[in-house]
């Protein structure tokens, strides 16, 4: 299979994932689109490397494609933006079944279609392991752009959902494969394999001036909250760790610590927020009405630096460091 | 060295490479910029994989950084666009000297500064070999956007400069390292290590309605001309192969075929054009006046399909296939 032949097959799969503002898609030196006049553009990039971020024996090709795009869409969500298009640089070893590659694009295209995100270009190459670098571009109204450096002492630390399910799902698949078929564990395994970027939740929250800072939880609450604190020059106190019930059930069964997963497990892709204290209850009510999900209070931003627990003890960043 | 510490050092190097329209650079979930109201946006992505696209023993870290960005800027040039910003997804193996990584960013930043292209974001990760996936975003006036599907029978096939120097430089470095220090070979080696994206040339050409199609020569004339023909539903006849004099000198010295390098050697990053026949001479005069370089006539687009030589014999695509 030549490069040009494979590109033609991939382009065929992605043809219908092309909103009107994309003027030129796959097949030229670059893709072209018409940015909306009143918005700002945002761009994010994220790579998935086989045996670093995923194992082909634990996930289907479709899962891998979904997950690679989900990570990027989650970053757009965290800025308050809606997706416009993405480009995919894919490397894979000689001998990779082209059917695997095409199925990977199927998983990506299904999510792209739901998110109304065109896949407008890419690059194919040989690489020693499967290597997927995605760049996603989105748009946001200037007043809705949410950064991570706006948290203020007194703000509520909140998340858009309970944490730890992705880490629980990974742990079952990797360390207890004999349990992977139990129906009680299917939710956590799906959370690991098919994380859902919180695009709709993010756009609702981005419209509120009372959300002072927003980022996505890709590397674990303890690490990402420390990053928001550092960017905002504040400290934070965690009063309750929002542990996912599915993670708790798995932890009890296999003798692990679900709170550690919630603090240190990456890739839950919930959003982390700094919310004005007086507005939190009202925002949580509106959030429930709009999304059917709960806005969970985790603690408070405080003067100072670093992340502490309710007793004032320092919580170290146990989340994912990509170079560790 | 933690991920956050390395990111801080990289961000320090790139801080001054930030045009005014970039509103938010490295450090948040995504970068943000203000697209120009009257332009279209274009995006391209290209990955460089160690031991596939480059060898660390043949190029310095600065060369690798330069080359990775140059390939992407060349794609923007080929659309007639000027660069706005780029994002970098970098993977590298455990044990990589952080100084190598930082020097790679130095090479990239030097080119970015000259091209006025911000480096606005990225991603760091472990990978089995050095893996650099770059996405570059540019802008172009709608009337100047050049595609590869506009060539018409009768158009002149033209290139913005002679070809084969990059392949000649690579061949010397890889197969005849004992010759690499000869001053006569320095030009070809530089063409290989530090290819220059033809941004200025491209913007001048993009302004002409008589340029019907444009793309960059990254995979070799025979392969890329065949791609332009296929996209435009035409054939082409090559009447003279524009061989670089430096490549010719090296080929004579080591008993290689310089014309084969010009046809099949990738990464010259000159531009391939389809130019209205009646306008070619005038355009070439203007091109010389504007850029100090020569617009070289290679042949003609003809009815039919495929690339042939002056005698009508088929020329097969000997250029780079990334999956071969």
């Amino acid at each position: 299979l030549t490069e040009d032949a494979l590109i033609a097959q991939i382009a065929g799969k992605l043809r219908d994932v092309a909103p009107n503002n994309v003027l030129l898609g796959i097949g030229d030196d670059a893709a072209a689109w018409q940015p909306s006049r009143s918005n700002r553009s945002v761009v994010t990039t994220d790579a998935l490397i086989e045996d670093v971020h995923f194992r082909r024996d634990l996930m289907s090709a479709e899962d891998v494609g979904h997950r690679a795009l989900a990570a990027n869409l989650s970053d757009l969500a965290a800025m308050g933006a809606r997706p416009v298009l993405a480009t995919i640089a894919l490397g894979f070893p000689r001998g990779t079944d082209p059917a695997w590659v095409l199925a990977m694009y199927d998983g990506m295209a299904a999510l792209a279609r739901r998110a109304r995100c065109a896949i407008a270009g890419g690059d194919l190459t040989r690489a020693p392991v499967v290597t997927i670098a995605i760049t996603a571009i989105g748009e946001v109204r200037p007043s809705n752009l949410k950064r991570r450096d706006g948290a203020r002492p007194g703000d509520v630390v909140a998340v858009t959902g309970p944490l730890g399910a992705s880490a629980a799902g990974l742990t079952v698949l990797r360390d207890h494969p004999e349990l992977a078929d139990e129906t009680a564990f299917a939710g956590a395994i799906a959370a690991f394999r098919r994380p859902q970027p919180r695009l709709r939740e993010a756009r609702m929250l981005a419209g509120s001036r009372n959300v002072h800072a927003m980022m996505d939880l890709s590397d674990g609450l303890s690490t990402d909250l420390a990053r928001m604190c550092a960017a905002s020059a504040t400290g934070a106190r965690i009063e309750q760790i929002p542990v996912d019930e599915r993670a708790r059930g798995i932890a009890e069964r296999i003798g692990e610590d679900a709170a550690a997963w919630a603090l240190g497990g990456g890739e839950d892709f919930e959003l982390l927020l700094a919310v004005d204290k007086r507005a939190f209850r009202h925002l949580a009510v509106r959030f429930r009405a709009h999304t059917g999900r709960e806005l969970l209070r985790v603690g408070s931003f405080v003067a100072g630096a670093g992340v502490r627990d309710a007793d004032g003890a320092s919580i170290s960043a146990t989340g994912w460091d990509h170079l560790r």
Side-chain angles (χ1 to χ4, degrees), chain A:
Chain A
L1 196 65
T2 65
E3 179 183 359
D4 286 354
L6 185 57
I7 289 172
Q9 290 192 40
I10 292 167
K13 285 189 181 296
L14 303 174
R15 198 157 289 140
D16 68 316
V17 193
N20 290 336
N21 51 348
V22 174
L23 307 165
L24 181 61
I26 292 170
D28 218 301
D29 297 283
W33 80 102
Q34 177 71 62
S36 128
R37 292 202 159 217
S38 52
N39 287 347
R40 287 178 181 167
S41 294
V42 299
V43 59
T44 184
T45 193
D46 215 53
L48 247 69
I49 313 276
E50 184 179 0
D51 297 333
V52 176
H53 300 93
F54 69 92
R55 280 168 47 180
R56 278 199 257 176
D57 58 335
L58 300 186
M59 299 172 84
S60 70
E62 288 87 347
D63 291 335
V64 172
H66 172 101
R67 206 144 186 283
L69 184 59
N72 283 276
L73 297 183
S74 179
D75 281 322
L76 294 184
M79 303 305 288
R82 72 169 170 281
V84 174
L85 60 83
T87 62
I88 320 292
L90 173 67
F92 53 91
R94 198 175 293 277
T96 305
D97 186 351
W100 191 94
V101 172
L102 293 168
M104 197 278 292
Y105 277 99
D106 281 331
M108 205 177 276
L111 176 58
R113 224 170 265 127
R114 286 204 305 281
R116 298 175 187 276
C117 178
I119 295 180
D123 183 42
L124 291 181
T125 182
R126 285 273 169 256
V129 298
V130 174
T131 303
I132 310 167
I134 300 189
T135 300
I137 292 168
E139 289 186 341
V140 57
R141 278 174 54 180
S143 58
N144 286 13
L145 180 73
K146 294 296 181 195
R147 304 164 56 138
R148 60 174 67 172
D149 60 2
R152 305 172 201 162
D155 284 353
V156 171
V157 178
V159 294
T160 52
L163 307 177
S166 177
L170 167 62
T171 304
V172 168
L173 287 172
R174 190 187 54 202
D175 304 337
H176 301 275
E178 74 283 1
L179 303 178
D181 291 334
E182 292 200 17
T183 51
F185 297 171
I189 289 170
F192 166 69
R193 287 181 170 154
R194 301 274 176 128
Q196 299 302 319
R198 299 298 177 199
L199 287 160
R200 207 158 61 94
E201 292 81 353
R203 292 189 67 194
M204 181 254 149
L205 294 165
S208 167
R209 278 177 311 160
N210 292 312
V211 175
H212 295 159
M214 184 156 78
M215 68 185 285
D216 77 325
L217 285 169
S218 51
D219 295 337
L221 176 63
S222 60
T223 291
D224 288 327
L225 179 55
R227 286 176 175 152
M228 185 176 274
C229 284
S232 301
T234 67
R237 196 173 51 226
I238 293 180
E239 286 146 15
Q240 53 247 334
I241 301 169
V243 179
D244 189 289
E245 280 307 314
R246 299 165 299 180
R248 206 185 293 279
I250 290 174
E252 281 167 14
R253 176 73 173 273
I254 64 178
E256 294 268 358
D257 178 0
W261 285 334
L263 282 174
E267 308 195 315
D268 284 307
F269 295 120
E270 297 293 347
L271 299 163
L272 173 66
L273 310 166
V275 182
D276 190 284
K277 187 177 159 184
R278 286 158 308 184
F280 179 77
R281 276 179 70 168
H282 180 61
L283 185 70
V285 169
R286 287 210 298 126
F287 184 81
R288 187 185 304 123
H290 188 84
T291 69
R293 307 180 74 241
E294 297 293 322
L295 198 59
L296 304 173
R297 185 193 173 107
V298 173
S300 303
F301 288 94
V302 296
V307 179
R308 296 180 180 276
D309 69 14
D311 300 324
S314 183
I315 294 180
S316 58
T318 53
W320 186 255
D321 181 317
H322 295 265
L323 303 184
R324 207 160 47 194

